[in-house]
Amino acid sequence: MEMKAFSLVDESSGSKARISQFGATVISWTVRGKERLFLSEKAILDGSKAIRGGIPPVFPVFGKATSGPCADLPQHGFARNHLWTVKHKDTSSATLRLTPTELSKEARNAWSYDFELLYTVTLEGSKLTTRLEVHNRDTRDFEFQTLLHTYFRVNSIADVHVEGLNGIMYKDKVSSSEITERSEQVMCTSETDRVYPRVKDTVRIHEKSQVSIEIQREGLEDIVLWNPWTGCEKMGDFAPADGYKNMVCVEAGAVSKWHTLSAGKQYVAQQVLAARL
Ligand code: TA6
């Protein structure tokens, strides 16, 4: 059974997107007839597990917290593995909503704050904007992290490099070390799992030395670069087995520290993806 999903179209350009209400996950984005997102062929689409691919939103924690208010939440929090409601939808844009009402009892018990997430997806020509508004409806302040876990489809990872990370000291989760990036053309040539904090420059994905995707960010200062490489074979919902050659995760996030949202206040996190090729 496929979960509730709907499509958006920009009639002037023919760009299309398909969004799952489960996890508010954009599972397809085509521009000029070409798919720009990677979705695993074994992605579980029945709402029983977060979707492997597309753009799963991560909230209120990135990774797995070992202590603090998010310690009892699953990796990457609850936003990507709950059914959101549709607050508004028109031809080329939709706003989805998540509040404690939509959460499982387990998630509510694990993270008891009152909140509202409004996630707006907008198609416009060769651009896809995903905007997350976090509202603290509680009387208490709360800390959170958030990230848009975007899986980009690429023709061949060997022809891909990422621009805009030069000079940043990143946390390398593969070697458990901190390394200063010395390249303006960052490539994935083996398992890659890095958190680049406070990236000021525009980040661009190049394929064969041509810019294929440009990422503009607001409220998402950090960049996570991930490719599981052959480790994807150990992931039951990742297919095909060599699918790592056709994807790269360049994830805009606010994850290198905890962000405090005061009671009654709002935080806006947005990325604008532009398909250049
Ligand atoms: O964003 C990179 C990362 O944190 C990796 O460490 C890896 O765990 C990836 O997310 C996928 O996580 P998932 O829980 O979706 O399998």
Side-chain angles (χ1 to χ4, degrees):
M1 177 228 10
E2 185 179 8
M3 73 296 154
K4 293 180 178 176
F6 58 88
S7 296
L8 301 177
V9 62
D10 172 58
E11 286 166 348
S12 62
S13 66
S15 299
K16 293 187 175 74
R18 186 150 180 82
I19 302 164
S20 156
Q21 282 183 233
F22 181 76
T25 298
V26 180
I27 55 177
S28 173
W29 171 42
T30 59
V31 178
R32 293 183 285 279
K34 182 180 173 187
E35 178 60 63
R36 307 309 172 123
L37 300 178
F38 175 86
L39 183 68
S40 165
E41 292 172 4
K42 285 188 178 174
I44 295 171
L45 298 176
D46 63 5
S48 61
K49 183 180 187 297
I51 295 171
R52 177 70 61 198
I55 310 177
V58 167
F59 179 90
V61 58
F62 173 68
K64 185 73 182 81
T66 52
S67 62
C70 291
D72 294 333
L73 288 176
Q75 163 144 305
H76 294 339
F78 51 65
R80 66 173 184 167
N81 53 24
H82 279 82
L83 187 66
W84 294 50
T85 60
V86 177
K87 184 170 189 273
H88 165 76
K89 182 156 69 76
D90 64 27
T91 311
S92 61
S93 176
T95 295
L96 295 98
R97 182 169 184 261
L98 190 74
T99 70
T101 305
E102 285 80 37
L103 291 190
S104 65
K105 185 164 58 63
E106 293 76 20
R108 269 206 308 276
N109 290 341
W111 201 78
S112 65
Y113 296 98
D114 190 5
F115 71 94
E116 177 186 53
L117 299 182
L118 292 175
Y119 187 57
T120 301
V121 181
T122 306
L123 263 183
E124 188 182 358
S126 61
K127 293 186 177 180
L128 174 73
T129 299
T130 49
R131 176 185 179 88
L132 182 68
E133 294 173 18
V134 182
H135 298 253
N136 181 348
R137 297 190 316 189
D138 208 290
T139 53
R140 301 164 292 171
D141 300 353
F142 61 64
E143 289 188 332
F144 74 96
Q145 297 169 333
T146 190
L147 169 132
L148 298 170
H149 201 293
T150 312
Y151 287 72
F152 292 98
R153 172 169 291 280
V154 297
N155 293 328
S156 168
I157 190 67
D159 296 332
V160 169
H161 73 258
V162 180
E163 172 199 350
L165 303 172
N166 190 20
I168 308 272
M169 179 182 278
Y170 63 87
K171 179 180 170 188
D172 187 318
K173 292 163 68 173
V174 175
S175 64
S176 301
S177 59
E178 291 205 332
I179 303 169
T180 299
E181 185 56 68
R182 295 293 181 207
S183 173
E184 192 44 65
Q185 300 186 353
V186 180
M187 297 184 72
C188 297
T189 56
S190 59
E191 182 188 359
T192 306
D193 195 352
R194 305 174 182 176
V195 180
Y196 290 81
R198 297 175 299 285
V199 176
K200 299 280 184 273
D201 291 350
T202 297
V203 173
R204 296 181 179 89
I205 301 173
H206 295 243
E207 291 197 65
K208 289 191 172 176
S209 301
Q210 288 186 287
V211 178
S212 61
I213 297 282
E214 184 171 286
I215 306 171
Q216 297 293 346
R217 294 163 290 130
E218 176 192 338
L220 296 168
E221 60 183 4
D222 310 321
I223 292 289
V224 173
L225 179 63
W226 180 60
N227 187 303
W229 218 249
T230 52
C232 69
E233 292 162 7
K234 302 189 199 76
M235 299 158 74
D237 60 350
F238 195 115
D242 66 347
Y244 68 91
K245 297 175 182 171
N246 301 111
M247 54 77 64
V248 64
C249 280
V250 181
E251 309 161 23
V255 297
S256 58
K257 65 180 183 182
W258 288 98
H259 293 260
T260 300
L261 190 56
S262 302
K265 299 296 184 190
Q266 171 182 303
Y267 184 92
V268 175
Q270 172 175 290
Q271 74 174 5
V272 180
L273 304 178
R276 293 277 183 250
L277 284 180

